[in-house]
Amino acid sequence: MKRLTRLVYAAFALFLITLPALPVYGQVPPDAPQPSPGAQAVAAQVNAPTPNSMTWDQVKARFEATNPTLKADALGVDELKAAEITAHLRPNPQFTFSEDGAQIAPHNGVWQPLSGVQEQTNLAYLWERQNKRNLRLETAKDTTHVAESQHEDLERTLIFSLRSAFIQTLQAKATLKLAHDDLEYYDKIIDISRERFKAGDIAQVDLDRIELLRVQYESELQTAIVNLRTSKIQLLQLLNDRTPVDQFDVDGPFDFSEEMKQLDQLHQTALDNRPDLRAAIQNIEESKAAHKLAWANGSTDPTLSGWWTHDGSYNNPNADDALGLSVNVPLRIFDRNQGEKKRTSIDIDKSTQLTEAARAQVFSDVDSSYAQVESNIALLKPYKEKYLAQSTRVRDTVTFAYQRGGASLMDFLNAQSDYRVVQLAYLQLIGTYLTAASQLNMAVGREVIP
């Protein structure tokens, strides 16, 4: 029994002595062969930061300044502000000048075409009653307020798409680095396996199987490169930027936070900040103003006219100049704008119901996004606290044992595969968490999770 114990301690001491000779993840041994030029290029792309890499705040500022969809919608708001000027304009006065009484043919041998000409000027003005002009301005301003809130809502939606593209790019970068480091680590395993084959420790078929597995790592690396370029292209499209993909990069934290605000607090923040809910509430005010305007448009607007006549000799030989006044009052017997009065009254109720629907949607969006973030945190915590370290420890232990004949080739290959699966799953969960956090920010209406 004592002899067995001494053998165990001796084996453990040998393990500690030889452990530093193992290839360590992310480190290159001094006697390792130099990578190929293609591998060096990928390594430079993974490890060297791009000088002009942009943070999230810089990407967001560039987007707000250059995105054509957002700029076009902002111009639509400016158009409505210009419409406010039109809505508040007064009616133009009407000026008429006429001549009458010119003789066009001789009569009884006498032809004096200009002797009896009568000249007349007329000035008329429509008098708008019931405060129509100010009500039109109020309605136009309410329409502009709704459009401004809808513009903010469009920006909120587009920024979520931008944030998703930004997160996708960060995830693609992290996946590319993982694929590169895995391939680099596996190349060291291949080098050691070749030395073992030369020494007669493993068979040719085992070396071939180890070398054949490298194609999976190469495939994962190329897929990661393509995914990164695709993500950058999508981000550049949202920024309306023509920068070459190789010269464009983004940088930012790719991790999760366990801190979460209370759900009730997020509900209230969303009710205070959601632009679509604000637009729905403003729609009620717009409908009320339109209803008041409809009643005002049902009132009668008289037209006041005044004219001056020169040469009124037909009726009064002494009246060379004469003045006249008139009032034109439409009789609103059949058309009193009944249809618009009824329509705008119904529109108030419709806007009220839509506001309630928008408020319910706010609660639904916040609740579902909050649940998604909580679920992702619950999945990520054991990965960070346990599974990542376990997968690395299992891989290194099985690799050490295989190199010394203590594990089978199948155990070694399975350990490598399990490590890649766990590491890649963690990166995907981080991306899902960041996307869910961005969804929660959009649901609340402002950034509550950085």
Side-chain angles (χ1 to χ4, degrees):
M1 182 68 180
K2 292 183 179 180
R3 183 178 180 183
L4 178 60
T5 303
R6 286 196 298 268
L7 289 176
V8 171
Y9 278 116
F12 182 71
L14 179 62
F15 171 78
L16 294 178
I17 294 173
T18 56
L19 184 60
L22 272 174
V24 181
Y25 179 69
Q27 297 181 356
V28 181
D31 57 346
Q34 295 298 321
S36 63
Q40 290 178 350
V42 174
Q45 181 180 1
V46 171
N47 298 318
T50 304
N52 297 324
S53 61
M54 302 175 65
T55 63
W56 165 243
D57 291 335
Q58 292 172 330
V59 169
K60 182 180 177 182
R62 176 78 65 84
F63 170 81
E64 292 173 343
T66 60
N67 183 263
T69 302
L70 200 60
K71 292 172 69 175
D73 192 70
L75 292 175
V77 176
D78 293 338
E79 289 178 344
L80 291 176
K81 290 180 179 179
E84 295 177 13
I85 302 174
T86 304
H88 202 230
L89 293 177
R90 294 180 175 88
N92 288 319
Q94 301 293 324
F95 176 78
T96 306
F97 176 78
S98 61
E99 289 185 351
D100 192 14
Q103 185 181 8
I104 62 173
H107 182 68
N108 295 329
V110 179
W111 184 47
Q112 295 177 332
L114 301 180
S115 63
V117 171
Q118 175 181 300
E119 300 168 351
Q120 186 179 66
T121 59
N122 185 292
L123 186 64
Y125 184 74
L126 177 67
W127 178 26
E128 291 188 306
R129 300 172 58 246
Q130 300 293 325
N131 202 27
K132 291 183 178 67
R133 177 167 166 258
N134 290 329
L135 287 174
R136 286 199 303 269
L137 177 61
E138 181 182 349
T139 304
K141 285 185 175 181
D142 288 340
T143 302
T144 303
H145 294 158
V146 172
E148 289 173 341
S149 297
Q150 290 174 343
H151 174 71
E152 293 180 15
D153 191 56
L154 174 64
E155 182 177 0
R156 175 181 71 99
T157 305
L158 290 177
I159 285 181
F160 170 72
S161 300
L162 179 72
R163 182 75 172 180
S164 299
F166 183 84
I167 293 169
Q168 187 177 1
T169 304
L170 293 180
Q171 181 176 345
K173 288 181 63 177
T175 304
L176 176 60
K177 187 177 187 309
L178 175 64
H180 170 266
D181 292 345
D182 285 346
L183 180 60
E184 188 179 63
Y185 180 92
Y186 198 75
D187 282 340
K188 300 168 191 174
I189 298 297
I190 291 176
D191 293 337
I192 295 175
S193 299
R194 287 171 180 168
E195 295 299 325
R196 291 186 63 199
F197 171 72
K198 293 178 182 178
D201 291 341
I202 60 174
Q204 177 70 53
V205 65
D206 290 340
L207 177 61
D208 291 341
R209 293 181 66 183
I210 293 174
E211 291 181 341
L212 282 174
L213 188 61
R214 189 181 190 276
V215 70
Q216 295 184 12
Y217 291 91
E218 292 176 344
S219 176
E220 292 174 359
L221 180 63
Q222 293 302 318
T223 301
I225 292 174
V226 172
N227 290 339
L228 177 58
R229 291 183 65 88
T230 302
S231 300
K232 287 183 178 182
I233 290 171
Q234 294 175 351
L235 196 55
L236 285 169
Q237 179 184 0
L238 288 171
L239 295 176
N240 195 27
D241 196 337
R242 301 297 182 269
T243 302
V245 178
D246 296 332
Q247 300 176 16
F248 174 77
D249 196 11
V250 296
D251 190 21
F254 190 70
D255 202 351
F256 74 100
S257 173
E258 299 181 21
E259 297 181 3
M260 289 283 290
K261 294 184 178 181
Q262 295 295 325
L263 184 58
D264 292 340
Q265 184 180 357
L266 294 178
H267 282 159
Q268 188 58 48
T269 304
L271 292 175
D272 295 337
N273 291 275
R274 278 281 288 262
D276 54 339
L277 178 59
R278 190 185 317 124
I281 296 173
Q282 290 168 341
N283 262 323
I284 298 177
E285 300 303 318
E286 180 188 5
S287 299
K288 291 179 179 179
H291 184 59
K292 291 190 290 184
L293 180 59
W295 274 94
N297 287 334
S299 63
T300 299
D301 293 334
T303 302
L304 307 178
S305 301
W307 62 87
W308 164 77
T309 303
H310 176 68
D311 188 9
S313 59
Y314 294 108
N315 299 315
N316 184 358
N318 298 316
D320 291 339
D321 297 287
L323 292 176
L325 296 174
S326 71
V327 178
N328 184 355
V329 181
L331 300 179
R332 304 296 294 266
I333 298 175
F334 305 108
D335 177 12
R336 296 188 302 275
N337 207 32
Q338 301 96 319
E340 278 300 295
K341 292 176 183 178
K342 183 64 175 178
R343 186 193 67 80
T344 52
S345 177
I346 296 173
D347 196 50
I348 294 175
D349 295 335
K350 175 183 175 183
S351 299
T352 302
Q353 296 302 320
L354 290 176
T355 299
E356 292 302 315
R359 186 175 284 108
Q361 186 65 47
V362 168
F363 278 87
S364 175
D365 292 344
V366 173
D367 290 343
S368 58
S369 301
Y370 189 87
Q372 185 65 41
V373 172
E374 280 192 324
S375 174
N376 289 325
I377 291 176
L379 291 173
L380 281 166
K381 286 173 63 178
Y383 268 87
K384 191 171 186 178
E385 296 171 357
K386 181 179 180 181
Y387 298 147
L388 292 178
Q390 275 187 340
S391 66
T392 304
R393 186 167 61 251
V394 168
R395 182 196 64 171
D396 293 343
T397 302
V398 174
T399 300
F400 177 84
Y402 172 71
Q403 290 173 347
R404 284 153 182 80
S408 66
L409 177 61
M410 186 59 64
D411 292 335
F412 166 72
L413 297 180
N414 288 337
Q416 299 295 322
S417 176
D418 293 342
Y419 171 82
R420 292 184 0 247
V421 168
V422 171
Q423 297 292 329
L424 186 59
Y426 178 71
L427 294 181
Q428 292 173 343
L429 279 175
I430 289 289
T432 304
Y433 161 81
L434 291 176
T435 302
S438 179
Q439 182 79 42
L440 180 60
N441 291 338
M442 185 180 72
V444 173
R446 69 179 183 86
E447 191 171 276
V448 292
I449 299 180

